[in-house]
Amino acid sequence: MTTDTSHTPQASGPRRSTMPREVVRRRRGGGEGGGGAGGRGWHPMLGAGLLPRVLSVLALILMAGVWLVPLAWGVNTSFKSEVDASAAGGDWIPAGGFTLAAYREIFAQGNLPVWALNSLLIGVAVTVLTVVVSALAAYALSRGLFRGRRALLAVTVASIMVPPQILIVPLFRQMLVMNLVDTYAAVILPQVVAPVMVFILKKFFDAVPRELEEAARIDGAGSVRIFVSVILPLSRPILAAVSIFVFITTWNNFLWPFIITSDPTLMTLPVGLSSVKDSYGLQNAQASAASVLAAVPLLVVFMLFQRQIVKSVATTGLGGQ
């Protein structure tokens, strides 16, 4: 004989929801598209209403315009003649029309292809060596167990605060003693040491789960195999970001290549373009054209690899996800 419990006092009372309290709280807070703190439409930066979003977009457009106007002015000036570029009015549309005379003068006066090739070779060499050295040092500081590791890490962090201008004289004397002045090695080697990149990679390696290394050791992998086959594949986003930052910094570096080289065939693009401007005086159109030519390769590199930079910022340390 079965007993019907549907009309018992316990069954007739209100039914208890099995939904988690956090979900219930979010739904009560504003619904799926409401303006409450738990609603899906709420955003801590833009807000839920239309007016905060419009104001935020307008603010972003204003900041982008502040950044783009000088760039657009430089590009516009590079297509002017020297007379129009030096005019007091500074009109966007020159009276004499746009011209490529400034670019033709830059190519005619300087050895631009050689300088661009030098910048490319030096930038690639410094980037590869810096990533290799920094990754090895960061992995040793992150996973190594040796005496003096904390002191070495402290020295690495402290060296980040040392201005690079202080090291110019010691580095120049070192290159002079080693008879490397006016060589590619003198331009490349001092730029390989990058403590900030070591620290960035070290913090990234700290977030990689150690269980992956333990599983590889059980399979018989050594430290080198783990570093090459486990750590580096998981670190592709941060390695790409570090490579881009190092390449851009090396490409824009003017002071050290200017000091250590005097041979025109070894000059980088910033140093070579500055020598052209110094030889022929201050010419606004040619100065703008030289700046545009030096910035175009960096713009191409950034446009090609900007997704890697975003991934490196958003990564959690496991596969760049």
Side-chain angles (χ1 to χ4, degrees), residues 203-285:
K203 299 301 291 184
F204 187 92
F205 293 159
D206 289 342
V208 176
R210 295 179 180 269
E211 290 78 6
L212 299 175
E213 299 179 55
E214 295 175 358
R217 292 188 186 277
I218 293 175
D219 292 338
S223 298
V224 177
R225 180 66 180 275
I226 292 174
F227 177 72
V228 174
S229 301
V230 178
I231 300 298
L232 292 184
L234 295 177
S235 307
R236 281 195 296 265
I238 192 66
L239 292 176
V242 168
S243 301
I244 294 171
F245 294 148
V246 172
F247 182 82
I248 291 175
T249 303
T250 306
W251 184 280
N252 289 328
N253 192 3
F254 168 79
L255 185 58
W256 177 249
F258 176 75
I259 292 175
I260 203 63
T261 58
S262 59
D263 187 358
T265 60
L266 295 177
M267 290 181 178
T268 59
L269 194 58
V271 177
L273 293 176
S274 68
S275 66
V276 171
K277 291 188 295 183
D278 293 340
S279 301
Y280 294 88
L282 180 61
Q283 298 181 355
N284 295 328

Side-chain angles (χ1 to χ4, degrees), residues 77 85 92 94 140 145 178 214 217:
T77 305
W92 283 90
L145 297 176
M178 299 174 63
E214 295 175 358
R217 292 188 186 277

Side-chain angles (χ1 to χ4, degrees), residues 146-225:
F146 55 90
R147 182 177 300 178
R149 183 175 67 92
R150 293 187 177 181
L152 185 59
L153 178 60
V155 171
T156 303
V157 175
S159 60
I160 299 175
M161 298 180 289
V162 177
Q165 292 79 7
I166 297 178
L167 304 176
I168 289 178
V169 175
L171 287 175
F172 184 83
R173 291 179 62 88
Q174 183 179 5
M175 296 298 109
L176 191 62
V177 171
M178 299 174 63
N179 198 21
L180 293 178
V181 178
D182 264 343
T183 61
Y184 286 109
V187 183
I188 294 172
L189 293 180
Q191 300 186 71
V192 171
V193 180
V196 62
M197 299 305 170
V198 175
F199 182 74
I200 291 173
L201 291 173
K202 190 264 180 187
K203 299 301 291 184
F204 187 92
F205 293 159
D206 289 342
V208 176
R210 295 179 180 269
E211 290 78 6
L212 299 175
E213 299 179 55
E214 295 175 358
R217 292 188 186 277
I218 293 175
D219 292 338
S223 298
V224 177
R225 180 66 180 275

Side-chain angles (χ1 to χ4, degrees), residues 60-119:
L60 292 175
I61 294 176
L62 178 62
M63 289 186 290
V66 171
W67 180 82
L68 287 174
V69 167
L71 179 63
W73 181 265
V75 175
N76 179 268
T77 305
S78 68
F79 290 101
K80 296 180 180 179
S81 63
E82 291 296 341
V83 176
D84 293 330
S86 303
D91 297 329
W92 283 90
I93 300 177
F98 293 103
T99 178
L100 296 175
Y103 290 94
R104 287 195 294 265
E105 290 295 329
I106 289 292
F107 279 95
Q109 297 171 6
N111 199 357
L112 195 65
V114 174
W115 298 337
L117 181 60
N118 289 337
S119 293

